[in-house]
Amino acid sequence: METHYEVLNISENASYELIKARFQQLILQHHPDKRKSLQDDTRAHRILQAWEILRDPQRRKQYDSELSARKAAVMNGEVDLDDMEYDENAQTFRLQCRCSGTYVITEDELEQGIDTICCDNCSLQIHVLYDIVEEES
């Protein structure tokens, strides 16, 4: 999966000014109203997602920590979101780990592009597979 830095084609230590400049440049190029073809209609959405995370210092710091953990961690596997149990009240998806711990991911985390989660009892991680569904207005 492409990182937010890769989406904007910048390094992980890019300044806020560079992030903002790349966002503005790319969103103009890939905005649905500016494109002549309908081939990659998710590109503008990915650019906006990257900007939302990287422009906010706290969210960027959290994202960087998760990115580092993802690079260093051992993946237990990939799990389809449909295979996880949904808790409507908490708006979370859960799956039991082989150690009897639990993997938990919230709807908010998924909307932010976070798709790697740790077990709450051991060091294993899973990558959650899901499709982004655009709501019609």
Side-chain angles (χ1 to χ4, degrees):
M1 176 175 222
E2 196 175 33
T3 70
H4 293 320
Y5 295 103
E6 292 167 341
V7 168
L8 297 179
N9 195 23
I10 56 174
S11 72
E12 291 182 19
N13 60 358
S15 67
Y16 172 82
E17 291 76 19
L18 178 60
I19 294 169
K20 184 177 179 180
R22 288 296 293 158
F23 163 73
Q24 290 172 336
Q25 177 187 26
L26 290 171
I27 201 64
L28 283 174
Q29 288 175 2
H30 297 281
H31 193 279
D33 294 341
K34 302 284 184 184
R35 286 180 300 149
K36 292 188 168 106
S37 83
L38 297 174
Q39 280 184 323
D40 190 5
D41 60 344
T42 63
R43 184 77 178 147
H45 181 71
R46 291 194 319 262
I47 292 166
L48 283 168
Q49 263 188 328
W51 170 243
E52 286 300 314
I53 298 295
L54 299 179
R55 74 178 178 160
D56 180 285
Q58 283 185 310
R59 291 176 79 184
R60 182 179 180 182
K61 184 177 180 180
Q62 179 184 356
Y63 177 75
D64 288 347
S65 294
E66 291 164 359
L67 195 58
S68 293
R70 196 180 329 167
K71 289 176 183 176
V74 175
M75 285 294 192
N76 189 34
E78 295 181 329
V79 175
D80 194 289
L81 189 62
D82 293 335
D83 295 332
M84 297 180 78
E85 182 181 322
Y86 182 65
D87 180 343
E88 194 169 339
N89 292 328
Q91 295 184 324
T92 60
F93 293 87
R94 301 176 161 281
L95 181 72
Q96 188 167 355
C97 180
R98 65 183 184 207
C99 74
S100 298
T102 308
Y103 296 103
V104 179
I105 192 163
T106 66
E107 286 184 6
D108 287 340
E109 290 170 328
L110 291 167
E111 288 173 6
Q112 294 172 20
I114 298 168
D115 59 5
T116 302
I117 51 176
C118 295
C119 173
D120 64 2
N121 193 45
C122 71
S123 62
L124 294 177
Q125 292 188 9
I126 59 171
H127 179 79
V128 180
L129 304 173
Y130 63 100
D131 291 322
I132 297 173
V133 178
E134 296 290 326
E135 291 184 27
E136 293 183 28
S137 332

